[in-house]
Amino acid sequence: MAVIINDTCINCAACIDECPVEAIVDEDDNPTGEEYHYVYPDKCVECVDHFDSPACAEACPTEGCITWDMPFTEEHKDHFNGDNYIDEQSYVMLNPDLVMPTRADISIEDRKARKPVVED
């Protein structure tokens, strides 16, 4: 995963319509049971080879709703195997063995801090 949708999500679905790899599901299909949209970490490609920046965050009308998360790479798999999702929940993955592309220009510090993808 590269991005995470937090609890400020207003469920408008703008992000779903923009995702080129269908990594985002709405609140009805959120596997964690939360009432907002979910990004599958093993499907998100950070829009690498699709757009200059994550299209979901560009389309989102809610400031700070979509933030960076750790890259879904071999080096950071432990992050996704623990209770590191929102409110100390576990991530849900469809294929945890995958390795996803990541944007090299986003620092690990910004990812750990879950900085907003789009900042004003």
Side-chain angles (χ1 to χ4, degrees):
M1 177 187 281
V3 301
I4 191 168
I5 298 174
N6 64 44
D7 61 359
T8 62
C9 175
I10 60 171
N11 301 328
C12 70
C15 58
I16 292 174
D17 295 338
E18 295 300 319
C19 183
V21 295
E22 299 178 354
I24 305 171
V25 295
D26 67 18
E27 68 278 7
D28 294 333
D29 294 323
N30 184 331
T32 68
E34 295 296 328
E35 302 264 335
Y36 42 88
H37 294 17
Y38 182 79
V39 181
Y40 278 97
D42 53 334
K43 288 184 79 175
C44 179
V45 295
E46 296 187 7
C47 289
V48 170
D49 296 329
H50 294 276
F51 301 105
D52 291 335
S53 64
C56 59
E58 295 290 339
C60 182
T62 307
E63 185 177 334
C65 177
I66 300 178
T67 62
W68 292 110
D69 200 0
M70 297 302 286
F72 200 77
T73 60
E74 286 297 329
E75 183 180 355
H76 299 286
K77 287 286 175 100
D78 286 344
H79 173 80
F80 297 95
N81 291 325
D83 296 333
N84 295 316
Y85 184 64
I86 297 170
D87 296 330
E88 298 179 11
Q89 295 184 66
S90 295
Y91 287 87
V92 176
M93 296 164 277
L94 301 172
N95 187 346
D97 295 328
L98 290 177
V99 171
M100 303 309 293
T102 185
R103 292 188 178 274
D105 60 327
I106 307 304
S107 72
I108 293 300
E109 291 77 25
D110 283 352
R111 291 175 182 277
K112 285 181 181 176
R114 291 194 172 154
K115 296 270 184 167
V117 174
V118 174
E119 296 187 86
D120 292 333

